[in-house]
Amino acid sequence: MTKFDITQYEIIFSEPDRIKTPYSWVGHIPFAYLIVKLIKPSILVELGVHSGNSYNAYCQAVKKLGLNTICYGVDTWEGDEQAGYYGNEVFEDLLQYHEKNY
């Protein structure tokens, strides 16, 4: 049986183009890159985007790999007990970045 070697996938070493607080998902970004590389989805939906660290990682991988994936980020952008509550500025900041880059 052949062992899976994650280090053979160069994309996992890519630096994220944008990181915002909260940083709780940042450690998973190499996995986001890898999953996009391996699956090459036609549609990608993320539920719970918050400031966009994971969502932007997916979009960055799609762009870098030249895929025709359509990405959707779904969130209320109001927050909750776990993430904390915040105003519309989090959504506006993410939207501005997304429109400029993707």
Side-chain angles (χ1 to χ4, degrees):
M1 175 182 243
T2 306
K3 288 186 176 182
F4 180 79
D5 183 3
I6 192 171
T7 64
Q8 297 303 307
Y9 297 90
E10 217 173 280
I11 194 164
I12 69 164
F13 301 107
S14 300
E15 287 290 323
D17 291 338
R18 179 181 188 262
I19 299 292
K20 293 282 193 167
T21 59
Y23 304 116
S24 55
W25 212 89
V26 172
H28 302 290
I29 287 176
F31 174 74
Y33 295 154
L34 180 63
I35 202 81
V36 171
K37 167 88 174 155
L38 294 176
I39 295 177
K40 297 175 180 60
S42 56
I43 298 174
L44 189 148
V45 178
E46 181 178 42
L47 303 177
V49 177
H50 197 158
S51 63
N53 291 333
S54 51
Y55 180 70
N56 285 323
Y58 292 124
C59 292
Q60 183 177 336
V62 165
K63 185 176 180 180
K64 182 174 182 131
L65 295 167
L67 303 177
N68 291 321
T69 305
I70 299 170
C71 297
Y72 296 98
V74 179
D75 203 307
T76 64
W77 282 281
E78 295 174 355
D80 56 33
E81 281 187 28
Q82 180 181 343
Y85 294 96
Y86 45 88
N88 200 44
E89 68 279 354
V90 173
F91 172 71
E92 291 299 328
D93 183 55
L94 176 60
L95 180 62
Q96 184 179 28
Y97 178 81
H98 189 76
E99 288 178 340
K100 180 179 175 186
N101 293 279
Y102 306 116

